[in-house]
Amino acid sequence: DAKTTQPPSMDCAEGRAANLPCNHSTISGNEYVYWYRQIHSQGPQYIIHGLKNNETNEMASLIITEDRKSSTLILPHATLRDTAVYYCIVGYIFGTGTRLKVLA
Amino acid sequence: DGGITQSPKYLFRKEGQNVTLSCEQNLNHDAMYWYRQDPGQGLRLIYYSQIVNDFQKGDIAEGYSVSREKKESFPLTVTSAQKNPTAFYLCATTRFGYGFYEKLFFGSGTQLSVL
């Protein structure tokens, strides 16, 4: 079974920040949280990962709670091209992800 | 990813037939993985290989077989024992294979359908 739970869908207005939550309450101390996104019928694309500290790269920011039981992926200025399914994973088990729709 | 090639892009299987999906990588990665994705669902792990000549079952290995004779190649055979093979199949790699702590690199996938 997946070690993570995510809301099935979210909408976000274009240009606004998209905040995607993920719960991973059973995460072990040395396990990373990884985020990927998948556009229909393509292989998932890596976004960002983290262990304890918050992380930022050119695509997104990752906020991990102090107890590491949850995290939030932030897309700071969502565009229509960010419409995709977003997966938060621990280990190599994928859940059903969050379907993000960016609205014009 | 440009370093992982899956072929063919589309594949059709007749009843009772075995088919083999190809996955080749030039990233010099140690570990390779096969996932299955059904419509509207997440990815489920079929098999993985952390090193040449060794592989392990994932969550849904029944009806599938693999081999890892070369570091670059990890073919997946869908046997006639797999009664519902229609799905999107994804191959992935990681640089190293132990600990499940690394970034996955994915191929572009193969869509398998039953005639």
Side-chain angles (χ1 to χ4, degrees), chain B residues 3-115:
Chain B
I4 301 170
T5 302
Q6 288 190 244
S7 61
K9 189 171 178 63
Y10 299 96
L11 186 59
F12 298 91
R13 194 192 90 166
K14 296 179 181 178
E15 292 287 340
Q17 185 181 42
N18 293 354
V19 292
T20 297
L21 284 63
S22 172
C23 179
E24 302 279 332
Q25 56 109 350
N26 62 6
L27 300 171
N28 199 32
H29 284 182
D30 285 346
M32 299 185 74
Y33 309 79
W34 274 106
Y35 286 92
R36 169 181 170 141
Q37 187 174 34
D38 293 283
Q41 301 298 312
L43 282 66
R44 292 185 290 168
L45 186 63
I46 305 172
Y47 269 99
Y48 62 97
S49 168
Q50 295 169 314
I51 197 169
V52 175
N53 292 322
D54 185 54
F55 50 82
Q56 308 294 329
K57 293 182 179 180
D59 296 329
I60 55 165
E62 186 174 351
Y64 300 96
S65 66
V66 293
S67 63
R68 186 85 187 279
E69 297 176 0
K70 299 186 303 181
K71 188 175 185 177
E72 301 79 17
S73 178
F74 191 41
L76 174 74
T77 297
V78 184
T79 74
S80 57
Q82 173 49 246
K83 298 305 180 187
N84 185 21
T86 296
F88 188 54
Y89 291 86
L90 284 158
C91 176
T93 69
T94 54
R95 189 173 49 165
F96 304 113
Y98 294 94
F100 295 93
Y101 303 138
E102 299 181 65
K103 180 170 74 172
L104 287 157
F105 294 78
F106 283 91
S108 56
T110 293
Q111 176 64 49
L112 175 63
S113 302
V114 175
L115 293 176

